[in-house]
Amino acid sequence: MEKTKMAAKDSEETPTSRPWQTYHTVFTNAKAGMEGVDKEKVQRIVYEMSKGSKYFENEARKEAEMKVKIENMRLQYAKLTASDICHYQKVADKRIVELEITRDLSRIWLHIDMDAFYAAVETLSNPSLKGKPMAVGGMSMLSTANYEARKFGVRAAMPGFIARKLCPDLIFVPVDFRKYTHYSDLTRKVFQRYDQNFMAASLDEAYLDITEVCSNRGITGGEVAEELREIVYVETGLTCSAGVAPNRLLAKVCSDINKPNGQFILPNERIAVMTFISSLPIRKIGGIGKVTENILKEVFGITTCEEMLQKSGSLCALFSRSSADFFLSVGLGLGGTDTPQVKFRKSISNERTFSATKDEAVLYQKIVELAEMLSADMKKEGLSGRTLTLKLKTASFEVRTRAVTLQNYVYSSEDILKHASKLLKAELPVAIRLMGLRMSHFREDHDGFLVDPTQKTLSSFFGSGDARKVKTDDDVSFGSNVNASLLATNEETGLPLDNHELCCDLTDHQSDTNQILNHTSSTSNNYCVEMEDSDRLPSNVSEVKVNSLNTKIRDYPKSYESDESQEKKTLSRSVDESSNYQRSQEIAGSSSNHKDFSLWVDDYKCSLCGAEIPSNFVEERQDHSDFHLAERLQEEESNNYNANLTLKKRVVEKELVASQGKGKKKKKQSPSLLRPSVNHKRNPLLQTRDKNINTEVYEENNASSADMAKKIKTALCKNSGLRSSSFPPDIVNLVAYVSVTI
DNA sequence: GGGTAGTCATATA
DNA sequence: TTCCATATATGACTACCC
């Protein structure tokens, strides 16, 4: 507490003639190669060049927010009674004992950190840069700086124009990731010789478990580090620094101690670890950044790792269990010692910064590009996801994120764009300087492994390989509504439309088809065609079930027509953009002109239900027509409910809602949007629709059955891991048949 | 009311 | 004149279900 008071006193006494002292940037923090830098000079220049800018204002805002947070925490802290403190101290003591038990000093971890990696690589390819202050990056931002530049206070993450002010002779070299990746690969080849399962933290950092190397060769961790660094230098011409310690957290701290081109070894002894940690500044720990450091310092007076243990009761009282555990572990010098199993990524994203604009056409173009990039990345990694998050940074540097969780897993740029546009639209008008898209909540297969949508090869046999490619013009109103006008005209509330969409989910279908070949059983779709010839399958394909399109439909409430206030909200697209060829054919077959299904009396009133929609609400009108079309289709097809099923179909009843899982939160909706879901078993539309689809697809595919058989064979090989010769010809034909008939 | 899930902001590297 | 890009994780808050 004493330290807190002192910090407050310092702040009060800051002379107003030196305002830069209150501008907290990361540029004056200790970083390798920056010892001896005139910090006050750097701080003054950064301040002078920043003040008045929107960035500066935003930083001030963030700073103020942090102060409020700290103040609130102080108040909470002050409210703790003696018995509270006593209680939490007991909790903390118990937890410390439990954590201490987990201490593992049997492993030897090596952390390797390449020295000024990008800058070093650039110097390798252009030796004339050697000895000169140089930075990689541009006038707006630097990725890194060499040690000569660091002497001037220039460092990574600093704007280039400030760096130039600090060091007028600074040489700027543009970023070249291909080069860095190449050299990174070279270093990784070396790492692999010491630990097959080394963990790459980034292009220039890696963790290696060298326990076995040490014991097998009877050498110390320090000797391994020395040898490895030498080999890296010989094979790449680059230097690196190393840290050796009993766990990864400590190894990382150690590698920074004798940077550049040095190493530090922390013995695998508890006393050594505790001594090392005792005076270690908390900011040296990976995971403790500017904000956490400030909170710990200002609220609890904690500046070293040792003090984490001294204030353990307070930490347990004010932080969550996981946060408190982390802080206590740091105080004990504990860190990861296991080699983690393969870690699946939890999200994938991309973002781009550009000149701030509020031009909706420009913003739309940006989001199109992002959607395409994200989709490409997802395809590359074989991912499909349900939660899409839009990130925006406004012209005033305010960061906003908006997310939507879909009913279906998506990965196509069309689907991503459709939902991203809705999210963006809800934010407009606003001047934006950065936009990003992230997908998370990935699909997993029955074993918990992520499913690769690109492996859903069977589904791609429908139509001409890519169902979307064979869309007809008639699809437009159902499938291609995502365009700039969407941003401009649609005034929905931003609620997810999935809840009231009628969709043929190609994605789901594809995945399910994929699962056939992964010999998983199907339970979650509307139809299954069960093959009875499964005994002829290769041994690892024990069961084959083919799912139909995961066609979903939801009812619209009868009260819809009378609730004028809800009209706009319900005028959503009634068919998902992922509708495919089959769906379009079916719709087209039922209505020759579904684009104009409703008649507009006096050019604003729907002749069917009386809804009033001005003529300039083009999309809303379209959606409204779609709604009536779907309604009529349902009526028409319910008359044919008893249409016979020609295939051996087993109808699997599965409530759409049930597939959403237990306890799932639904986005708050207006009453009219809370539409009951349709019981698929009783939904005649689904059954007859599939019949139509079968016909279309079958004819489509008959034209290239040989080609298709070939593709199927490839798919079987890919999914089963067997060679094509392993499959009896019958199985290929059989799967081909099922594929074209469902 | 506990458990779970969705959304958003924030923190970190 | 110019003040990061990107990926990921986690916590707070809130809502919903059983």
Side-chain angles (χ1 to χ4, degrees):
Chain A
M1 273 289 102
E2 204 49 45
K3 282 183 180 169
T4 310
K5 282 179 196 163
M6 283 171 66
K9 202 178 167 197
D10 282 350
S11 174
E12 283 161 19
E13 286 179 5
T14 300
T16 50
S17 59
R18 292 180 175 179
W20 56 85
Q21 291 186 338
T22 59
Y23 182 47
H24 300 117
T25 70
V26 293
F27 305 132
T28 48
N29 284 329
K31 188 162 170 73
M34 299 193 71
E35 304 79 15
V37 172
D38 183 346
K39 285 184 186 171
E40 174 137 350
K41 184 185 166 198
V42 172
Q43 205 166 7
R44 180 171 53 79
I45 290 176
V46 173
Y47 173 80
E48 293 294 342
M49 299 202 70
S50 304
K51 66 179 179 186
S53 69
K54 284 178 178 165
Y55 176 84
F56 184 90
E57 285 168 14
N58 192 59
E59 287 299 297
R61 183 184 60 79
K62 276 158 58 181
E63 185 96 14
E65 275 175 14
M66 191 166 75
K67 278 188 176 150
V68 169
K69 200 171 173 180
I70 287 171
E71 201 46 49
N72 286 338
M73 214 161 206
R74 271 187 183 152
L75 288 173
Q76 269 183 283
Y77 194 23
K79 277 184 196 163
L80 292 177
T81 64
S83 74
D84 287 337
I85 291 168
C86 183
H87 167 73
Y88 284 110
Q89 193 55 58
K90 281 180 188 162
V91 170
D93 291 344
K94 183 167 173 276
R95 196 66 194 127
I96 287 170
V97 171
E98 288 167 353
L99 288 168
E100 181 62 49
I101 290 168
T102 68
R103 189 187 294 277
D104 178 4
L105 292 168
S106 69
R107 311 304 301 178
I108 303 172
W109 279 92
L110 169 65
H111 179 250
I112 296 289
D113 196 342
M114 302 302 294
D115 301 324
F117 186 55
Y118 297 176
V121 169
E122 293 299 342
T123 307
L124 264 187
S125 52
N126 180 4
S128 73
L129 293 168
K130 205 169 182 180
K132 296 174 186 165
M134 176 266 271
V136 176
M139 210 45 80
S140 60
M141 191 49 55
L142 301 181
S143 289
T144 192
N146 67 7
Y147 283 85
E148 283 76 15
R150 291 186 193 186
K151 288 174 192 163
F152 294 87
V154 175
R155 56 167 289 171
M158 177 179 272
F161 69 95
I162 292 179
R164 192 170 58 179
K165 185 87 177 175
L166 289 168
C167 176
D169 295 328
L170 186 67
I171 299 168
F172 290 87
V173 176
V175 179
D176 182 354
F177 270 101
R178 276 177 54 194
K179 225 185 269 176
Y180 314 143
T181 307
H182 169 73
Y183 278 94
S184 180
D185 288 344
L186 293 181
T187 64
R188 289 176 184 187
K189 279 179 186 151
V190 179
F191 301 159
Q192 213 157 22
R193 292 176 216 164
Y194 291 85
D195 179 7
Q196 278 283 326
N197 305 311
F198 78 91
M199 299 163 65
S202 61
L203 282 181
D204 69 328
E205 266 184 69
Y207 294 92
L208 290 76
D209 182 347
I210 53 170
T211 315
E212 268 69 50
V213 176
C214 291
S215 66
N216 291 345
R217 294 176 55 191
I219 56 176
T220 65
E223 287 165 334
V224 171
E226 196 109 31
E227 182 184 294
L228 182 145
R229 287 174 47 232
E230 178 63 24
I231 295 176
V232 167
Y233 182 71
V234 169
E235 298 193 7
T236 67
L238 301 165
T239 64
C240 60
S241 300
V244 179
N247 63 54
R248 290 191 296 276
L249 180 131
L250 294 173
K252 179 161 171 65
V253 176
C254 290
S255 68
D256 196 52
I257 293 175
N258 286 319
K259 244 182 174 312
N261 200 15
Q263 60 184 56
F264 183 88
I265 289 88
L266 181 62
N268 283 34
E269 294 159 11
R270 188 178 184 280
I271 183 80
V273 170
M274 294 310 286
T275 306
F276 178 76
I277 215 82
S278 66
S279 57
L280 190 70
I282 52 172
R283 188 62 189 272
K284 291 280 181 188
I285 301 294
I288 297 183
K290 180 181 160 185
V291 174
T292 310
E293 181 192 29
N294 258 297
I295 290 172
L296 291 175
K297 186 181 169 192
E298 300 298 323
V299 180
F300 306 96
I302 295 172
T303 56
T304 65
C305 297
E306 188 182 40
E307 287 161 348
M308 297 271 202
L309 292 185
Q310 292 164 7
K311 301 285 168 67
S312 57
S314 310
L315 293 173
C316 286
L318 268 78
F319 287 99
S320 65
R321 163 83 183 239
S322 62
S323 298
D325 270 7
F326 171 66
F327 293 142
L328 297 182
S329 297
V330 167
L332 291 166
L334 301 175
T337 56
D338 57 319
T339 300
Q341 298 302 309
V342 179
K343 271 179 82 178
F344 290 112
R345 68 154 78 230
K346 293 182 178 171
S347 69
I348 185 166
S349 64
N350 54 37
E351 59 188 65
R352 289 290 177 272
T353 297
F354 41 86
S355 304
T357 178
K358 53 165 60 176
D359 184 325
E360 293 182 8
V362 174
L363 294 175
Y364 178 74
Q365 190 49 42
K366 297 284 179 199
I367 211 164
V368 168
E369 290 165 13
L370 286 166
E372 282 169 0
M373 281 192 285
L374 182 60
S375 173
D377 289 346
M378 289 179 72
K379 283 175 187 167
K380 223 180 284 171
E381 297 205 26
L383 299 166
S384 54
R386 277 183 62 207
T387 301
L388 179 69
T389 305
L390 170 73
K391 177 181 174 181
L392 301 174
K393 191 185 276 183
T394 67
S396 55
F397 288 86
E398 177 204 352
V399 177
R400 297 180 195 172
T401 54
R402 300 288 181 265
V404 62
T405 298
L406 313 170
Q407 284 183 350
N408 308 310
Y409 291 91
V410 299
Y411 67 91
S412 73
S413 56
E414 293 90 342
D415 287 337
I416 293 170
L417 178 60
K418 179 181 74 172
H419 298 288
S421 301
K422 288 173 192 166
L423 293 172
L424 172 63
K425 172 174 46 88
E427 299 301 308
L428 298 176
V430 63
I432 294 168
R433 56 171 289 118
L434 173 145
M435 213 187 277
L437 287 177
R438 178 169 72 240
M439 188 68 79
S440 53
H441 203 153
F442 296 133
R443 171 194 284 274
E444 292 176 5
D445 70 10
H446 295 219
D447 300 320
F449 290 101
L450 297 174
V451 171
D452 177 354
T454 61
Q455 287 184 8
K456 299 158 199 152
T457 30
L458 280 184
S459 59
S460 66
F461 303 153
F462 292 107
S464 56
D466 179 351
R468 286 181 180 80
K469 287 180 187 162
V470 291
K471 272 184 176 178
T472 65
D473 290 344
D474 282 346
D475 290 322
V476 172
S477 65
F478 287 93
S480 307
N481 283 342
V482 180
N483 53 38
S485 68
L486 179 75
L487 301 176
T489 59
N490 197 323
E491 292 181 13
E492 288 164 13
T493 58
L495 296 172
L497 297 177
D498 306 77
N499 292 336
H500 45 101
E501 283 176 349
L502 177 107
C503 63
C504 288
D505 190 353
L506 182 60
T507 310
D508 273 1
H509 170 228
Q510 289 174 325
S511 291
D512 293 329
T513 313
N514 182 45
Q515 287 170 12
I516 304 161
L517 300 173
N518 285 327
H519 55 87
T520 55
S521 64
S522 154
T523 55
S524 62
N525 289 280
N526 308 322
Y527 296 95
C528 286
V529 178
E530 201 162 346
M531 290 172 59
E532 291 165 351
D533 302 54
S534 58
D535 55 342
R536 285 197 288 164
L537 290 171
S539 59
N540 65 335
V541 183
S542 56
E543 185 183 16
V544 174
K545 292 178 180 179
V546 181
N547 303 303
S548 77
L549 286 170
N550 185 13
T551 311
K552 299 167 183 172
I553 183 167
R554 294 204 159 199
D555 271 337
Y556 285 76
K558 290 300 174 194
S559 60
Y560 167 77
E561 293 89 345
S562 60
D563 190 353
E564 193 178 319
S565 67
Q566 300 300 338
E567 279 174 8
K568 271 196 171 181
K569 290 175 184 171
T570 51
L571 297 176
S572 56
R573 267 178 300 289
S574 58
V575 175
D576 193 282
E577 263 84 8
S578 63
S579 297
N580 52 22
Y581 174 72
Q582 296 96 321
R583 172 72 183 136
S584 69
Q585 291 297 306
E586 169 220 345
I587 296 289
S590 302
S591 170
S592 58
N593 186 17
H594 69 265
K595 279 185 178 178
D596 196 18
F597 191 80
S598 303
L599 296 173
W600 298 96
V601 179
D602 296 333
D603 204 28
Y604 79 97
K605 200 167 182 176
C606 176
S607 61
L608 299 175
C609 69
E612 295 174 5
I613 305 174
S615 59
N616 57 331
F617 283 68
V618 180
E619 189 178 338
E620 281 80 357
R621 279 197 173 194
Q622 183 57 64
D623 291 338
H624 194 80
S625 288
D626 293 347
F627 159 67
H628 283 305
L629 171 64
E631 196 178 50
R632 177 149 141 210
L633 274 171
Q634 195 160 2
E635 268 171 36
E636 282 174 3
E637 298 193 32
S638 63
N639 295 331
N640 300 321
Y641 177 44
N642 293 322
N644 55 340
L645 297 174
T646 52
L647 286 172
K648 280 193 277 179
K649 285 184 180 173
R650 183 163 62 89
V651 179
V652 177
E653 181 184 358
K654 179 83 179 173
E655 278 288 339
L656 180 60
V657 191
S659 70
Q660 294 171 16
K662 281 184 178 179
K664 182 187 166 187
K665 177 194 160 191
K666 289 185 185 63
K667 188 146 182 171
K668 204 175 175 181
Q669 299 179 337
S670 58
S672 73
L673 289 174
L674 291 169
R675 300 190 171 88
S677 62
V678 168
N679 181 334
H680 291 165
K681 189 181 176 185
R682 293 189 293 110
N683 186 345
L685 179 58
L686 293 177
Q687 297 178 16
T688 50
R689 175 179 301 150
D690 276 10
K691 199 179 87 179
N692 291 338
I693 293 169
N694 296 336
T695 311
E696 298 288 344
V697 178
Y698 188 59
E699 286 167 5
E700 181 79 18
N701 283 285
N702 262 351
S704 56
S705 57
D707 184 42
M708 185 168 170
K710 199 175 158 191
K711 287 180 181 175
I712 288 170
K713 216 168 184 177
T714 311
L716 286 169
C717 293
K718 190 175 176 187
N719 288 282
S720 68
L722 294 172
R723 294 196 322 197
S724 62
S725 56
S726 311
F727 297 105
D730 285 355
I731 194 64
V732 177
N733 296 334
L734 191 56
V735 177
Y737 171 76
V738 173
S739 298
V740 297
T741 50
I742 58 169

